[in-house]
Amino acid sequence: VHCDYLQARYNKTSHRRRTNPSVELGNILERVVEKMKTVPESYPFHVAVSVKHAPDYYKIVKEPIHLQALKDNIRQQVYTGREQFVLHVDRMVNNSVLYNGAQHQLTKVVEDMRRLCLEELEKSSSQLTEVERQINPLLDGDPWISFGYLLETVVSRMKTIPESWPFHQPVPVKDVPDYYNIIERPMDLATIQ
């Protein structure tokens, strides 16, 4: 058979690394949310509180949050790291304390969910650290990488300033022949970049 090369191709698994670190972060955080849903009696925190069941909830709780909102935030790439995600999980706990009280059974459930969340994040800590560094180079341990990232950000923002176009590239000699005789050390944003 002349199609030997086709065999075994479908049996191999691919271990490709995702190119977008935000997608990788999202996958990790979605797994954490799914684990949080497994906490017994956690269903009241899966979706938004119904006004039908708690008519005064939104008068008392000004910044509501639930697991579906966390998933929506993940999909919209709101989170650039685990810290922001944990702040929203903490808000779920705080909202429950505010509305139900610290000793209420639902507060104990959401505290268990938070505990599980932190355990799951700790299990993925090294992977999360790498992804967070890819998303935000300022978190990198190398100060030169952080400095380079800052400079790149500043230059990019400078280029968006209205009427800044004359400074984007070196001054062309044919357009301004005596420029380099007058300016000893010329500088432009492309050279900085």
Side-chain angles (χ1 to χ4, degrees), residues 134-148:
Q134 290 174 12
I135 293 170
N136 183 357
L138 291 176
L139 299 174
D140 197 289
D142 185 346
W144 289 109
I145 290 175
S146 300
F147 183 65

Side-chain angles (χ1 to χ4, degrees), residues 65-116:
I65 190 102
H66 47 84
L67 294 181
Q68 186 57 50
L70 293 178
K71 285 182 86 166
D72 292 344
N73 287 343
I74 292 166
R75 290 185 181 129
Q76 294 168 11
Q77 298 183 350
V78 169
Y79 305 119
T80 58
R82 70 192 111 176
E83 186 175 306
Q84 297 162 310
F85 178 77
V86 170
L87 286 174
H88 279 172
V89 173
D90 288 343
R91 190 186 320 156
M92 282 176 44
V93 174
N94 294 336
N95 288 349
S96 183
V97 169
L98 179 65
Y99 188 78
N100 301 309
Q103 301 306 314
H104 194 277
Q105 181 59 32
L106 283 176
T107 301
K108 298 208 182 307
V109 168
V110 77
E111 286 171 345
D112 288 344
M113 293 168 65
R114 181 185 187 279
R115 198 170 310 121
L116 179 61

